[in-house]
Amino acid sequence: MQSGCVCGDKPWRFGALSHHVSIWVPRSHSMKKSRRVVSMVAKRSPKRLKYTDATRFNKEGGLVYIEADPSAYDLWKLEPVVNLLKQGAVGVIPTDTLYAIACDLTNHSAIERLRRIKNIDSSKPLSILCHSFRDIDKYTAGFPCGDGQGHANLFKAVKQCLPGPYTFILLASKALPKQCIRFGTSAAKYASRKNVGVRMPDDAICQAILKEMSAPLICTSIKFLKEDEWMIDPVMIADTYGPEGLDFVVDGGVRVAQSSTVVDMTKMPPRVLRQGKGPISPWMVLEDNEKNDAEEDLIPAAI
């Protein structure tokens, strides 16, 4: 028996309530129940997303919860996710470090909704998830090049790091939508800032989604609502942030609680603002002293 649903203007066929693609209904009781019990509950709740207007994303019932193999061999499962993102959805996807709440870079209302869901202050920068160096070249000024004055061309060195667990702070280009670099304030310290954190995750699921998008995704990290700790289990993420307004969660397995290494490439030599999963290369300067407010502001609320 087959059942169907419509994602945008394309119909998708799913097996009868298969565990691979299901509609998530957040639990009102303890989050300590096993993934198996959650899966069984989802199977008994055959709800589907419905769209009454192709230009607007609407949701009824629960959020879409998709279990995907970490190797992304089952790419067909991710096609509805891409459709949802293109229509303005805000959801959770895995990366090579942590899970990220992400949305379409070009959708202003989706970005505002992402900030509301995560309760991110408008002064805190976000990062973009890129599929290739072509995306980085389009939305940033690129990586520093040699100038004949002792500053080496770092592009070759960066290519050894990407895809990988790094966030590089670069100067944003005019192609990057203003809402991605505006910080909602006229304060002097934000007035001239036009930097953006760039990620190119080495994760099969994430890259498969990014490949089908016409632009990078804007993203932020995921922590417990009242605790400064990373959330690494997609089941708990769905339980916690589903009621806050998430539209979908892509489950690629539990992650290790380690964020990316953040490197500021706007000054020479490049400085490590946060040491994370990515190894420190010889051309990166790791400073031991405490960061000032301006440096802290550069660190994105991201993965």
Side-chain angles (χ1 to χ4, degrees):
M1 176 180 179
Q2 296 285 322
S3 61
C5 73
V6 177
C7 292
D9 57 355
K10 296 180 65 178
W12 299 96
R13 305 294 297 183
F14 304 107
L17 299 179
S18 166
H19 71 283
H20 296 302
V21 180
S22 58
I23 297 300
W24 181 274
V25 179
R27 293 170 289 171
S28 59
H29 47 285
S30 172
M31 292 187 292
K32 296 182 180 180
K33 289 184 178 293
S34 69
R35 188 187 303 267
R36 179 183 177 187
V37 173
V38 173
S39 178
M40 290 175 64
V41 171
K43 289 181 181 180
R44 290 197 299 266
S45 303
K47 298 181 180 179
R48 293 288 183 260
L49 292 182
K50 296 180 181 179
Y51 301 92
T52 57
D53 183 348
T55 63
R56 180 181 177 185
F57 177 75
N58 295 281
K59 177 162 65 79
E60 293 186 4
L63 59 81
V64 175
Y65 192 92
I66 297 177
E67 292 180 287
D69 189 273
S71 67
Y73 80 88
D74 46 3
L75 290 178
W76 64 270
K77 297 180 185 178
L78 303 176
E79 292 176 313
V81 171
V82 173
N83 268 8
L84 296 178
L85 284 167
K86 290 181 178 180
Q87 294 182 66
V90 177
V92 171
I93 63 175
T95 74
D96 55 352
T97 52
L98 303 160
Y99 276 90
I101 298 179
C103 67
D104 187 351
L105 174 76
T106 63
N107 192 304
H108 177 82
S109 60
I111 294 174
E112 295 301 317
R113 197 153 63 89
L114 179 149
R115 287 189 180 273
R116 289 197 301 271
I117 291 173
K118 186 69 189 306
N119 193 26
I120 300 176
D121 188 86
S122 58
S123 65
K124 191 66 175 175
L126 300 172
S127 286
I128 59 176
L129 296 173
C130 298
H131 175 256
S132 65
F133 282 99
R134 181 178 298 178
D135 289 336
I136 296 177
D137 289 339
K138 179 177 181 179
Y139 292 98
T140 77
F143 294 97
C145 297
D147 57 8
Q149 299 179 6
H151 295 152
N153 187 334
L154 294 179
F155 181 68
K156 292 183 178 180
V158 170
K159 286 185 69 175
Q160 303 301 314
C161 299
L162 297 178
Y166 295 89
T167 297
F168 289 110
I169 307 298
L170 297 170
L171 180 67
S173 71
K174 292 182 179 180
L176 191 68
K178 292 182 178 179
Q179 66 265 28
C180 298
I181 55 177
R182 71 168 178 81
F183 297 94
T185 176
S186 59
K189 71 174 182 177
Y190 297 124
S192 61
R193 188 167 66 183
K194 297 180 181 179
N195 300 324
V196 63
V198 174
R199 287 229 53 206
M200 192 191 297
D202 186 18
D203 179 88
I205 295 175
C206 184
Q207 282 293 328
I209 294 172
L210 291 171
K211 183 179 180 180
E212 299 303 318
M213 298 297 297
S214 57
L217 298 177
I218 199 89
C219 71
T220 182
S221 57
I222 308 174
K223 292 187 176 183
F224 288 93
L225 293 176
K226 297 183 179 180
E227 299 177 30
D228 190 24
E229 295 182 4
W230 303 113
M231 297 190 73
I232 59 176
D233 187 339
V235 171
M236 296 187 69
I237 293 172
D239 277 339
T240 303
Y241 285 94
E244 302 297 319
L246 279 184
D247 299 312
F248 68 85
V249 171
V250 178
D251 182 345
V254 176
R255 301 284 145 150
V256 176
Q258 191 173 17
S259 58
S260 64
T261 293
V262 180
V263 184
D264 180 10
M265 304 288 286
T266 63
K267 296 180 180 180
M268 295 294 291
R271 295 170 301 136
V272 176
L273 301 182
R274 182 184 72 193
Q275 186 171 5
K277 184 177 180 180
I280 306 301
S281 298
W283 51 271
M284 303 176 188
V285 175
L286 179 60
E287 299 178 346
D288 296 329
N289 59 310
E290 294 186 2
K291 302 175 183 64
N292 56 41
D293 290 343
E295 290 174 326
E296 286 289 350
D297 287 337
L298 280 175
I299 301 177
I303 51 177

